[in-house]
Every structure is written in C-alpha cells, then in structure tokens.
Amino acid sequence: ELTDAYGVQDDAERKLAAAARNNPYLNGAAVTGLTAYASELQNVSRFGDEVIIDQQSFLAALGQTEETIRNVTLAAVEFASTGQVNLETAFRQMNQTLSGSTGRLGLMIPALKELTEEELKAGEGLQVIIDQFKGMKEASVEGFAGMKIQMKNTFGDIKEDIGEVFAELFDV
C-alpha cells in the first residue's frame, strides 16, 4: 500500500515532467513550481496534489504556459470545490474557455457570456470564475467531513514518503 501511494504520486509527477519536455513554454523550474503549487492547494482544499498534478500534466501536454496552468488550476479547484462537478471536469471546462468557448459553463455562470471570444482566449473567463468562487476550496475543508479529507490527504503524503523509501531500497 505504501509503494502504491508513492507510485501514484510518482506517475503524476513523471507525466508532468514528460509533458513539460514537449512544451516549449515549460522547463524544470516550471515543473517544480507547478508541483509545489499543487501541494499548496492540497493543503487548503479537498484535492490531493497527485490528482491536481495529473490534471496539470494534461494542460502541459496541450502547450499551456506555467501561468495559464496555474490560473486554470486555481479556477478548477475553486469551481470543483462547490461539489457540482468533479476536478477533472472542472479542468476541462476551464481549459475550454481558453479556446474562446464557454460551453456548459456559460449556462451555469452567466457572467462568462458577457465576455468576447478574444477575452475568453486571453484568460479573462478564468478570472471571472476565480473571483466568483473565491474561498470555496477553503470552505470545503472547514467542516468535519472536510477535515477528514484533509487528514486523509496528509496521511496519504506520509504513505507516499515511506513508499518512496521502500521503492528506493528495493529498487521497485
């Protein structure tokens, strides 16, 4: 179980690094920064950093910049923290706005319909979402259920750290 937890984290980080190698806008420092940002968000949300990093790797593979990936990540985490969509769906919907389309988000968030295609492509839709749902990630972990998830994430990190040691010892 310990090496499994480490394996999930390691796979996510390796996918991000591989995507970054194929992305002219990202380098090793960006990968380190995005991984650290995912950990920061894990500390204030319901989502494990390995799940966030996995989604960031998709954006990196699409050729997004580090700043754009950070903005999509924050918007997706805030929006998914409402419980209306899962994190993967939120990431895909946020990324869709960068193509100039609001899709289903436009039905849920009327303010997005007020933006032009060019404004959406420039990332202004992400800022609308970040502003509208600001604080949802923190609110989602304030109650008992949220605290349990936070404890689970913390324990998961401990399992990953111990699993990494075992993986290195046994060359797994």
Side-chain angles (χ1 to χ4, degrees):
E1 187 178 339
L2 299 174
T3 54
D4 290 344
Y6 166 68
V8 171
Q9 181 77 25
D10 186 55
D11 285 350
E13 290 179 13
R14 287 178 187 273
K15 282 180 12 184
L16 178 59
R21 283 193 295 276
N22 297 321
N23 181 331
Y25 303 112
L26 300 178
N27 57 26
V31 170
T32 300
L34 289 169
T35 302
Y37 187 55
S39 293
E40 290 171 30
L41 289 173
Q42 173 181 285
N43 292 333
V44 295
S45 76
R46 292 177 168 250
F47 305 108
D49 61 344
E50 67 281 354
V51 179
I52 296 170
I53 293 166
D54 192 54
Q55 294 303 311
Q56 289 175 330
S57 69
F58 174 70
L59 298 171
L62 293 176
Q64 300 292 3
T65 65
E66 180 181 5
E67 179 182 3
T68 299
I69 293 170
R70 284 176 177 266
N71 289 337
V72 169
T73 300
L74 179 57
V77 168
E78 292 283 13
F79 187 62
S81 293
T82 66
Q84 300 305 303
V85 297
N86 64 36
L87 188 61
E88 180 179 347
T89 299
F91 263 90
R92 298 208 189 282
Q93 289 177 326
M94 299 310 130
N95 189 59
Q96 183 180 13
T97 67
L98 297 173
S99 68
S101 171
T102 60
R104 290 185 177 185
L105 278 177
L107 299 173
M108 293 185 274
I109 307 168
L112 291 177
K113 289 183 178 181
E114 297 174 16
L115 299 175
T116 66
E117 181 179 347
E118 291 76 26
E119 290 170 329
L120 288 167
K121 287 180 178 180
E124 291 182 35
L126 297 174
Q127 193 58 52
V128 166
I129 293 163
I130 291 167
D131 292 344
Q132 186 164 341
F133 295 97
K134 184 177 183 173
M136 292 302 290
K137 65 186 179 306
E138 293 88 356
S140 74
V141 295
E142 287 176 352
F144 181 71
M147 289 189 312
K148 281 178 50 181
I149 291 170
Q150 283 282 289
M151 288 173 48
K152 179 182 171 199
N153 285 340
T154 300
F155 187 64
D157 284 348
I158 293 168
K159 290 192 314 188
E160 290 165 10
D161 291 342
I162 296 169
E164 180 178 16
V165 171
F166 280 116
E168 289 172 1
L169 281 175
F170 298 109
D171 220 13
V172 176

